[in-house]
Amino acid sequence: KDRELLLKAAFLYNFAKFVEWPAAAFASPSAPLTMCVHSREAFAVIVEAMDGKTVGNRALSVIDGHGPAAAGACHLTFVGADEPEGSYAQHLAKSPHALSVGDRDRFARTGGMVGLVTVDNKIRFEVNLRSSRAAGLRIQAALLRLATDVIE
């Protein structure tokens, strides 16, 4: 299970490298990129995997998506399969420029931005361009080419 979570953490890190956020999403040019994790089972693994990493010129910060610090502070939100359906919607609404990545069935097809899917025992992803554009995010073509499906 930890190996799978480490792989998902690597996906999250790479998603962060291929997404451009509007300047308004950050308090300053040197503010960290904040990843909020809504998954009790994945939190510790993701924190450890991201330790010391940077995205562009920004430090990468990982916080518990359930905590009060997450309200409005997220640039990338990960919703694990262990999260109860709908429990994370209010958190997503508080971070208007957050890239939402979900590890649940049909996440990208139901309004999430990037959905992790398992195909032939491999982790793949789908991208919902409509949702990401609505949040002011630009997903680079190099990432879109790797998606199993791009939803317009």
Side-chain angles (χ1 to χ4, degrees):
K1 187 71 180 167
D2 273 6
R3 186 180 167 286
E4 182 183 332
L5 291 174
L6 279 171
L7 198 53
K8 289 175 182 177
F11 270 91
L12 293 172
Y13 180 62
N14 283 302
F15 294 154
K17 294 194 310 188
F18 287 95
V19 171
E20 295 166 27
W21 281 263
F26 298 95
S28 74
S30 60
L33 187 138
T34 303
M35 183 182 296
C36 298
V37 178
H38 290 267
S39 171
R40 301 274 185 230
E41 73 175 18
F43 184 70
V45 173
I46 292 173
V47 167
E48 191 174 328
M50 300 300 165
D51 186 45
K53 291 209 180 328
T54 58
V55 176
N57 62 344
R58 297 182 189 281
L60 185 57
S61 162
V62 180
I63 63 175
D64 183 345
H66 301 97
C74 310
H75 298 103
L76 190 156
T77 298
F78 174 69
V79 179
D82 59 324
E83 272 297 292
E85 189 69 48
S87 68
Y88 50 86
Q90 66 184 357
H91 296 283
L92 292 180
K94 289 179 185 161
S95 294
H97 300 295
L99 178 75
S100 59
V101 179
D103 189 15
R104 14 177 11 99
D105 196 35
R106 301 183 51 78
F107 187 80
R109 296 181 180 284
T110 56
M113 296 175 201
V114 180
L116 297 176
V117 293
T118 303
V119 179
D120 298 327
N121 287 325
K122 289 186 171 60
I123 298 171
R124 301 282 189 243
F125 63 94
E126 302 173 332
V127 175
N128 184 323
L129 271 182
R130 192 178 320 116
S131 294
S132 60
R133 284 187 186 126
L137 306 178
R138 191 175 158 274
I139 299 175
Q140 294 176 17
L143 186 63
L144 294 176
R145 281 195 293 276
L146 298 173
T148 56
D149 196 12
V150 176
I151 302 151
E152 290 282 354

